[in-house]
Amino acid sequence: MPAHIAGQLHATPAPVWLPYPDDVNAVMPSLWSDNVAKGDDGVLTIAGHPVTELAERFGTPTFVFDVDDFRSRAGLYRDAYAAAFAPEKGLSGVDVFYAGKAFLCTAVAKWVHEAGLGLDTCSLGEMMIAHAAGVPGESIGLHGNNKSLAELEYALDYGVGRIIVDSLDEVDRLEAVAAAKGVIAPVMLRVTVGVEAHTHDFIATAHEDQKFGLSVAAGKAAEAAARVVDSAHLRLDGLHSHIGSQIFDISGFQVAAARVLALRAQIMSDHGVDLPDVDLGGGFGIRYTSQDTPIPVAEMATSLAEVVAKECRGLGTNVPRISIEPGRAIVSPAVFTLYAVGTVKEVVTDSGVRTYVAVDGGMSDNIRTALYDADYSCTLANRNSDAAPAVVRVVGKHCESGDIIVRDEYMGADVAPGDLVAVPGTGAYCRALSSNYNHVARPGVLAVTPDRVDWIVTPETYSQLFANDPGMADATRQ
């Protein structure tokens, strides 16, 4: 940059929510897993393992998974909700289902089951992972707005404990499959209750104009319930509601619970049946940056339990067994992505000089910034910086101007090629939504405990990447 220009411009200002750091080398503990820390040398460690050693041994980019943190969060949800919905408090207990769409592999499925949680799936592939991991069918739920015959057949053969029916078409399809197999399918109806979570439009899923669920207001939920009750091969076990994702406002859950319980009471009265289960979904928000204010787990559990008890008293019904579906809230904080810096570039903008830090991954391993306008934090992971804090933008290597990982964060102004950058909170919807854009191989997932470091998902090879291209057969042998 010409000196006369650089001398006239300041760095681009930080967003109003981004605090100026007292120590640019420090990490904010609430953004990271329990076993992440920084040593006096500025090197990030996880369960005692320096990331410099992990990068040298396993390469970058890599998703780094704190196993003990994941297990701890799963146990926190299990125990907090069990206490809030305990039968001695006049409730009927609770089930916690891990939402596998956030991130799923056989190791995670095993840890979920070992923690006493159920597992929500939404495809044949996810059910196959659960089956291979030894998760019993009764602990599985199957979601999806357009389940195929193959998926429904697999679910019934597997003995899936709940099939969450999403449409009137699916009622007929599932009845035909169950009749052909001579079994009774366990059904929950996914209903839309007109509650829009305070979240991004693309991930708010309970308002009317969207693809999921059976509308209560339009009478579709009541019609579906009547069809299921009248079927000889379907058993109506309950209702399911999901109002969005990354939610920080408890009121949406409270209103949705009240409406679902009112619908349950009406269906039980109209058809003379009991609906023993109500699922209030997931979407519990986490802290990606300092601006996020998630609701403590025990506080949310207690609030939901109070609403369920109050509404059932007012409706004069028995209290159903409640279930919830945290995914992001359990796995996201347990994972960070480790990148290597390749290029640092200062660019003159209308508001000043912006520093772009380009790393060896990008939107192929984290599409959420581009897709949802999500915000992330990051830290220099391989050393301390003595330079003044500067606002940087961490970007990827893909041929898209929107290939941004971290929009704004303070780092030492001396960040340089060869440095390591770690981005926390990448456990959910990063590896799960990863792609091969620009024919880039997807990173692996490295599970870390104090005494072990192992791949639970291996990095994709170029042979795997090109396996479906017959013209690349010779090239991958070279």
Side-chain angles (χ1 to χ4, degrees):
M1 179 187 311
H4 70 281
I5 295 179
Q8 296 171 9
L9 291 176
H10 299 288
T12 54
V16 294
W17 57 264
L18 183 63
Y20 189 85
D22 294 328
D23 179 359
V24 75
N25 296 302
V27 294
M28 185 177 293
S30 60
L31 302 182
W32 299 81
S33 65
D34 287 344
N35 300 299
V36 166
K38 268 197 172 184
D40 293 339
D41 57 359
V43 175
L44 196 73
T45 63
I46 175 169
H49 300 276
V51 297
T52 47
E53 295 181 7
L54 297 181
E56 182 177 358
R57 181 178 172 190
F58 297 100
T60 59
T62 297
F63 294 106
V64 185
F65 194 118
D66 187 337
V67 178
D68 291 341
D69 181 273
F70 178 85
R71 290 179 180 270
S72 175
R73 291 179 196 276
L76 172 62
Y77 271 89
R78 178 197 63 217
D79 295 344
Y81 276 83
F85 285 87
E88 54 265 31
K89 295 182 178 180
L91 292 117
S92 298
V94 68
D95 295 299
V96 178
F97 283 76
Y98 171 73
K101 65 180 181 177
F103 172 68
L104 190 63
C105 64
T106 54
V108 165
K110 289 177 182 177
W111 296 332
V112 165
H113 180 56
E114 289 169 358
L117 275 56
L119 177 60
D120 264 330
T121 64
C122 58
S123 69
L124 179 57
E126 289 181 357
M127 284 191 290
M128 292 173 71
I129 288 175
H131 194 277
V135 181
E138 60 266 26
S139 297
I140 300 294
L142 175 62
H143 278 280
N145 68 301
N146 187 27
K147 303 177 189 70
S148 67
L149 287 174
E151 287 167 335
L152 294 175
E153 289 170 351
Y154 191 96
L156 292 178
D157 290 342
Y158 188 3
V160 161
R162 46 169 58 179
I163 299 176
I164 296 92
V165 168
D166 197 89
S167 67
L168 294 173
D169 288 339
E170 189 182 339
V171 173
D172 298 336
R173 187 178 303 135
L174 180 57
E175 182 175 20
V177 173
K181 291 183 175 294
V183 299
I184 296 176
V187 170
M188 296 185 76
L189 298 178
R190 176 159 178 173
V191 300
T192 50
V193 295
V195 177
E196 182 173 357
H198 295 176
T199 184
H200 192 288
D201 284 345
F202 292 169
I203 50 178
T205 54
H207 54 290
E208 295 293 327
D209 188 11
Q210 45 97 17
K211 73 176 187 177
F212 292 106
L214 293 145
S215 171
V216 175
K220 299 298 183 181
E223 182 180 350
R227 288 196 197 182
V228 174
V229 169
D230 290 343
S231 170
H233 300 284
L234 305 178
R235 184 185 72 237
L236 185 57
D237 289 339
L239 304 175
H240 179 285
S241 169
H242 179 70
I243 62 171
S245 294
Q246 188 62 354
I247 302 168
F248 300 118
D249 186 350
I250 205 166
S251 62
F253 288 107
Q254 293 169 327
V255 174
R259 293 182 183 179
V260 171
L261 291 168
L263 175 63
R264 172 181 179 263
Q266 187 63 54
I267 292 171
M268 292 196 300
S269 175
D270 290 346
H271 300 285
V273 297
D274 183 32
L275 301 185
D277 297 305
V278 168
D279 192 316
L280 298 178
F284 311 113
I286 70 159
R287 200 172 200 204
Y288 284 107
T289 71
S290 59
Q291 68 179 324
D292 295 324
T293 54
I295 302 165
V297 176
E299 180 181 332
M300 175 67 84
T302 299
S303 176
L304 289 179
E306 290 172 350
V307 169
V308 169
K310 176 185 175 183
E311 294 299 323
C312 288
R313 283 196 304 270
L315 293 164
T317 66
N318 61 351
V319 179
R321 187 172 181 87
I322 297 297
S323 49
I324 59 163
E325 300 170 355
R328 177 204 316 265
I330 294 176
V331 72
S332 249
V335 180
F336 65 83
T337 309
L338 186 63
Y339 299 103
V341 176
T343 300
V344 178
K345 184 185 297 184
E346 291 186 337
V347 177
V348 178
T349 75
D350 291 340
S351 57
V353 177
R354 187 185 305 281
T355 300
Y356 283 85
V357 177
V359 297
D360 53 354
M363 63 193 304
S364 58
D365 60 70
N366 188 348
I367 192 63
R368 292 191 67 256
T369 306
L371 185 62
Y372 297 137
D373 201 27
D375 286 315
Y376 283 88
S377 178
C378 64
T379 192
L380 185 65
N382 60 302
R383 63 178 176 87
N384 279 321
S385 171
D386 296 325
V391 178
V392 303
R393 176 162 292 176
V394 179
V395 297
K397 61 183 293 179
H398 298 284
C399 293
E400 295 286 341
S401 58
D403 179 23
I404 299 169
I405 302 170
V406 181
R407 198 172 309 280
D408 296 289
E409 181 57 283
Y410 281 104
M411 294 182 70
D414 61 349
V415 59
D419 280 331
L420 297 176
V421 171
V423 177
T426 58
Y429 307 109
C430 289
R431 184 56 171 80
L433 284 169
S434 62
S435 73
N436 294 126
Y437 185 48
N438 293 146
H439 286 89
V440 171
R442 291 176 293 179
V445 182
L446 196 61
V448 181
T449 65
D451 56 352
R452 294 196 65 175
V453 180
D454 293 297
W455 293 116
I456 52 173
V457 177
T458 57
E460 193 170 33
T461 66
Y462 280 103
S463 293
Q464 293 168 328
L465 174 62
F466 295 126
N468 295 325
D469 185 341
M472 290 298 293
D474 290 339
T476 56
R477 294 193 192 102
Q478 296 177 1

mmCIF file of all heavy atoms in Angstrom, residues 149 152-153 156 163 170-187 231-235:
data_model
loop_
_atom_site.group_PDB
_atom_site.id
_atom_site.type_symbol
_atom_site.label_atom_id
_atom_site.label_comp_id
_atom_site.label_asym_id
_atom_site.label_seq_id
_atom_site.Cartn_x
_atom_site.Cartn_y
_atom_site.Cartn_z
ATOM 1 N N LEU A 149 -39.744 -44.053 0.938
ATOM 2 C CA LEU A 149 -40.196 -45.393 1.321
ATOM 3 C C LEU A 149 -39.051 -46.173 1.948
ATOM 4 O O LEU A 149 -39.245 -46.904 2.929
ATOM 5 C CB LEU A 149 -40.736 -46.133 0.091
ATOM 6 C CG LEU A 149 -42.095 -45.661 -0.450
ATOM 7 C CD1 LEU A 149 -42.418 -46.394 -1.750
ATOM 8 C CD2 LEU A 149 -43.190 -45.900 0.579
ATOM 9 N N LEU A 152 -38.626 -45.078 5.578
ATOM 10 C CA LEU A 152 -39.694 -45.584 6.441
ATOM 11 C C LEU A 152 -39.554 -47.087 6.662
ATOM 12 O O LEU A 152 -39.762 -47.593 7.778
ATOM 13 C CB LEU A 152 -41.052 -45.243 5.838
ATOM 14 C CG LEU A 152 -41.386 -43.743 5.769
ATOM 15 C CD1 LEU A 152 -42.712 -43.526 5.038
ATOM 16 C CD2 LEU A 152 -41.442 -43.133 7.162
ATOM 17 N N GLU A 153 -39.202 -47.809 5.616
ATOM 18 C CA GLU A 153 -39.015 -49.262 5.757
ATOM 19 C C GLU A 153 -37.857 -49.573 6.694
ATOM 20 O O GLU A 153 -37.952 -50.456 7.559
ATOM 21 C CB GLU A 153 -38.776 -49.880 4.375
ATOM 22 C CG GLU A 153 -40.021 -49.895 3.496
ATOM 23 C CD GLU A 153 -39.720 -50.272 2.061
ATOM 24 O OE1 GLU A 153 -38.508 -50.363 1.701
ATOM 25 O OE2 GLU A 153 -40.676 -50.449 1.287
ATOM 26 N N LEU A 156 -38.867 -48.930 10.369
ATOM 27 C CA LEU A 156 -39.718 -49.969 10.950
ATOM 28 C C LEU A 156 -38.929 -51.256 11.192
ATOM 29 O O LEU A 156 -39.112 -51.919 12.218
ATOM 30 C CB LEU A 156 -40.912 -50.232 10.046
ATOM 31 C CG LEU A 156 -41.919 -49.074 9.943
ATOM 32 C CD1 LEU A 156 -43.043 -49.421 8.976
ATOM 33 C CD2 LEU A 156 -42.485 -48.719 11.308
ATOM 34 N N ILE A 163 -41.528 -42.063 14.961
ATOM 35 C CA ILE A 163 -41.460 -41.521 13.612
ATOM 36 C C ILE A 163 -42.256 -40.227 13.629
ATOM 37 O O ILE A 163 -43.469 -40.234 13.855
ATOM 38 C CB ILE A 163 -42.017 -42.509 12.565
ATOM 39 C CG1 ILE A 163 -41.189 -43.798 12.577
ATOM 40 C CG2 ILE A 163 -42.008 -41.875 11.177
ATOM 41 C CD1 ILE A 163 -41.711 -44.889 11.658
ATOM 42 N N GLU A 170 -47.506 -38.180 4.236
ATOM 43 C CA GLU A 170 -46.699 -39.151 4.967
ATOM 44 C C GLU A 170 -47.553 -40.084 5.818
ATOM 45 O O GLU A 170 -47.186 -41.245 6.021
ATOM 46 C CB GLU A 170 -45.663 -38.438 5.844
ATOM 47 C CG GLU A 170 -44.651 -39.391 6.462
ATOM 48 C CD GLU A 170 -43.654 -38.711 7.369
ATOM 49 O OE1 GLU A 170 -43.460 -37.487 7.242
ATOM 50 O OE2 GLU A 170 -43.081 -39.423 8.216
ATOM 51 N N VAL A 171 -48.679 -39.602 6.313
ATOM 52 C CA VAL A 171 -49.587 -40.486 7.055
ATOM 53 C C VAL A 171 -49.967 -41.668 6.181
ATOM 54 O O VAL A 171 -49.885 -42.843 6.593
ATOM 55 C CB VAL A 171 -50.842 -39.720 7.520
ATOM 56 C CG1 VAL A 171 -51.841 -40.697 8.138
ATOM 57 C CG2 VAL A 171 -50.485 -38.633 8.517
ATOM 58 N N ASP A 172 -50.379 -41.381 4.942
ATOM 59 C CA ASP A 172 -50.786 -42.452 4.021
ATOM 60 C C ASP A 172 -49.606 -43.350 3.654
ATOM 61 O O ASP A 172 -49.735 -44.578 3.593
ATOM 62 C CB ASP A 172 -51.394 -41.843 2.759
ATOM 63 C CG ASP A 172 -52.646 -41.022 3.042
ATOM 64 O OD1 ASP A 172 -53.292 -41.279 4.083
ATOM 65 O OD2 ASP A 172 -52.964 -40.124 2.241
ATOM 66 N N ARG A 173 -48.453 -42.737 3.420
ATOM 67 C CA ARG A 173 -47.271 -43.508 3.013
ATOM 68 C C ARG A 173 -46.831 -44.447 4.131
ATOM 69 O O ARG A 173 -46.543 -45.628 3.903
ATOM 70 C CB ARG A 173 -46.141 -42.534 2.638
ATOM 71 C CG ARG A 173 -44.914 -43.189 2.042
ATOM 72 C CD ARG A 173 -43.882 -42.139 1.672
ATOM 73 N NE ARG A 173 -44.450 -41.167 0.736
ATOM 74 C CZ ARG A 173 -44.286 -39.863 0.840
ATOM 75 N NH1 ARG A 173 -43.585 -39.343 1.847
ATOM 76 N NH2 ARG A 173 -44.822 -39.056 -0.054
ATOM 77 N N LEU A 174 -46.779 -43.932 5.348
ATOM 78 C CA LEU A 174 -46.348 -44.757 6.471
ATOM 79 C C LEU A 174 -47.355 -45.860 6.766
ATOM 80 O O LEU A 174 -46.965 -46.990 7.093
ATOM 81 C CB LEU A 174 -46.143 -43.879 7.704
ATOM 82 C CG LEU A 174 -45.691 -44.585 8.984
ATOM 83 C CD1 LEU A 174 -44.381 -45.344 8.760
ATOM 84 C CD2 LEU A 174 -45.532 -43.578 10.126
ATOM 85 N N GLU A 175 -48.625 -45.557 6.645
ATOM 86 C CA GLU A 175 -49.635 -46.589 6.881
ATOM 87 C C GLU A 175 -49.473 -47.742 5.889
ATOM 88 O O GLU A 175 -49.553 -48.916 6.270
ATOM 89 C CB GLU A 175 -51.039 -45.998 6.755
ATOM 90 C CG GLU A 175 -52.132 -47.033 7.036
ATOM 91 C CD GLU A 175 -53.523 -46.430 7.029
ATOM 92 O OE1 GLU A 175 -53.700 -45.352 6.454
ATOM 93 O OE2 GLU A 175 -54.433 -47.056 7.599
ATOM 94 N N ALA A 176 -49.203 -47.410 4.627
ATOM 95 C CA ALA A 176 -49.028 -48.457 3.618
ATOM 96 C C ALA A 176 -47.809 -49.317 3.920
ATOM 97 O O ALA A 176 -47.849 -50.548 3.805
ATOM 98 C CB ALA A 176 -48.909 -47.826 2.235
ATOM 99 N N VAL A 177 -46.705 -48.685 4.323
ATOM 100 C CA VAL A 177 -45.485 -49.431 4.634
ATOM 101 C C VAL A 177 -45.706 -50.317 5.861
ATOM 102 O O VAL A 177 -45.312 -51.492 5.881
ATOM 103 C CB VAL A 177 -44.307 -48.469 4.866
ATOM 104 C CG1 VAL A 177 -43.078 -49.235 5.357
ATOM 105 C CG2 VAL A 177 -43.977 -47.713 3.581
ATOM 106 N N ALA A 178 -46.329 -49.762 6.900
ATOM 107 C CA ALA A 178 -46.578 -50.539 8.116
ATOM 108 C C ALA A 178 -47.529 -51.702 7.840
ATOM 109 O O ALA A 178 -47.336 -52.809 8.365
ATOM 110 C CB ALA A 178 -47.146 -49.628 9.199
ATOM 111 N N ALA A 179 -48.555 -51.487 7.022
ATOM 112 C CA ALA A 179 -49.501 -52.560 6.693
ATOM 113 C C ALA A 179 -48.804 -53.685 5.943
ATOM 114 O O ALA A 179 -49.047 -54.873 6.210
ATOM 115 C CB ALA A 179 -50.652 -51.984 5.870
ATOM 116 N N ALA A 180 -47.915 -53.299 5.017
ATOM 117 C CA ALA A 180 -47.198 -54.324 4.249
ATOM 118 C C ALA A 180 -46.294 -55.161 5.136
ATOM 119 O O ALA A 180 -46.083 -56.357 4.870
ATOM 120 C CB ALA A 180 -46.385 -53.656 3.145
ATOM 121 N N LYS A 181 -45.779 -54.581 6.196
ATOM 122 C CA LYS A 181 -44.892 -55.303 7.111
ATOM 123 C C LYS A 181 -45.649 -55.945 8.254
ATOM 124 O O LYS A 181 -45.064 -56.692 9.057
ATOM 125 C CB LYS A 181 -43.822 -54.349 7.673
ATOM 126 C CG LYS A 181 -42.806 -53.891 6.627
ATOM 127 C CD LYS A 181 -41.736 -53.019 7.241
ATOM 128 C CE LYS A 181 -40.656 -52.677 6.225
ATOM 129 N NZ LYS A 181 -39.877 -53.880 5.803
ATOM 130 N N GLY A 182 -46.936 -55.636 8.390
ATOM 131 C CA GLY A 182 -47.732 -56.212 9.462
ATOM 132 C C GLY A 182 -47.343 -55.723 10.838
ATOM 133 O O GLY A 182 -47.399 -56.470 11.814
ATOM 134 N N VAL A 183 -46.964 -54.441 10.923
ATOM 135 C CA VAL A 183 -46.552 -53.865 12.200
ATOM 136 C C VAL A 183 -47.362 -52.601 12.472
ATOM 137 O O VAL A 183 -48.071 -52.093 11.599
ATOM 138 C CB VAL A 183 -45.043 -53.538 12.217
ATOM 139 C CG1 VAL A 183 -44.221 -54.796 12.008
ATOM 140 C CG2 VAL A 183 -44.706 -52.486 11.162
ATOM 141 N N ILE A 184 -47.236 -52.110 13.699
ATOM 142 C CA ILE A 184 -47.846 -50.840 14.069
ATOM 143 C C ILE A 184 -46.732 -49.818 14.251
ATOM 144 O O ILE A 184 -45.817 -50.021 15.051
ATOM 145 C CB ILE A 184 -48.677 -50.973 15.357
ATOM 146 C CG1 ILE A 184 -49.856 -51.936 15.119
ATOM 147 C CG2 ILE A 184 -49.183 -49.606 15.805
ATOM 148 C CD1 ILE A 184 -50.673 -52.198 16.356
ATOM 149 N N ALA A 185 -46.832 -48.727 13.503
ATOM 150 C CA ALA A 185 -45.781 -47.711 13.535
ATOM 151 C C ALA A 185 -46.054 -46.688 14.623
ATOM 152 O O ALA A 185 -47.178 -46.182 14.737
ATOM 153 C CB ALA A 185 -45.688 -47.012 12.182
ATOM 154 N N PRO A 186 -45.040 -46.356 15.438
ATOM 155 C CA PRO A 186 -45.202 -45.332 16.484
ATOM 156 C C PRO A 186 -45.083 -43.934 15.894
ATOM 157 O O PRO A 186 -44.052 -43.573 15.314
ATOM 158 C CB PRO A 186 -44.043 -45.634 17.438
ATOM 159 C CG PRO A 186 -42.981 -46.220 16.555
ATOM 160 C CD PRO A 186 -43.694 -46.952 15.451
ATOM 161 N N VAL A 187 -46.106 -43.123 16.047
ATOM 162 C CA VAL A 187 -46.186 -41.833 15.363
ATOM 163 C C VAL A 187 -46.245 -40.680 16.367
ATOM 164 O O VAL A 187 -46.980 -40.734 17.353
ATOM 165 C CB VAL A 187 -47.434 -41.787 14.452
ATOM 166 C CG1 VAL A 187 -47.680 -40.367 13.931
ATOM 167 C CG2 VAL A 187 -47.288 -42.764 13.290
ATOM 168 N N SER A 231 -56.328 -45.318 11.926
ATOM 169 C CA SER A 231 -55.530 -46.321 11.213
ATOM 170 C C SER A 231 -55.306 -47.564 12.064
ATOM 171 O O SER A 231 -55.075 -47.481 13.274
ATOM 172 C CB SER A 231 -54.170 -45.729 10.826
ATOM 173 O OG SER A 231 -53.296 -46.738 10.353
ATOM 174 N N ALA A 232 -55.339 -48.717 11.414
ATOM 175 C CA ALA A 232 -55.064 -49.983 12.104
ATOM 176 C C ALA A 232 -53.576 -50.247 12.249
ATOM 177 O O ALA A 232 -53.169 -51.152 12.989
ATOM 178 C CB ALA A 232 -55.713 -51.139 11.339
ATOM 179 N N HIS A 233 -52.747 -49.454 11.553
ATOM 180 C CA HIS A 233 -51.310 -49.737 11.528
ATOM 181 C C HIS A 233 -50.459 -48.581 12.037
ATOM 182 O O HIS A 233 -49.229 -48.629 11.949
ATOM 183 C CB HIS A 233 -50.877 -50.122 10.104
ATOM 184 C CG HIS A 233 -51.573 -51.334 9.590
ATOM 185 N ND1 HIS A 233 -51.251 -52.618 9.987
ATOM 186 C CD2 HIS A 233 -52.625 -51.458 8.734
ATOM 187 C CE1 HIS A 233 -52.040 -53.482 9.388
ATOM 188 N NE2 HIS A 233 -52.886 -52.810 8.618
ATOM 189 N N LEU A 234 -51.111 -47.543 12.585
ATOM 190 C CA LEU A 234 -50.400 -46.410 13.147
ATOM 191 C C LEU A 234 -50.873 -46.186 14.575
ATOM 192 O O LEU A 234 -52.059 -46.365 14.878
ATOM 193 C CB LEU A 234 -50.645 -45.136 12.334
ATOM 194 C CG LEU A 234 -50.322 -45.188 10.833
ATOM 195 C CD1 LEU A 234 -50.663 -43.859 10.178
ATOM 196 C CD2 LEU A 234 -48.853 -45.537 10.596
ATOM 197 N N ARG A 235 -49.947 -45.796 15.443
ATOM 198 C CA ARG A 235 -50.280 -45.498 16.841
ATOM 199 C C ARG A 235 -49.844 -44.073 17.148
ATOM 200 O O ARG A 235 -48.664 -43.737 17.038
ATOM 201 C CB ARG A 235 -49.551 -46.479 17.773
ATOM 202 C CG ARG A 235 -49.921 -46.284 19.259
ATOM 203 C CD ARG A 235 -49.095 -47.194 20.155
ATOM 204 N NE ARG A 235 -47.704 -46.763 20.259
ATOM 205 C CZ ARG A 235 -46.664 -47.540 19.948
ATOM 206 N NH1 ARG A 235 -46.848 -48.773 19.498
ATOM 207 N NH2 ARG A 235 -45.419 -47.068 20.073
#
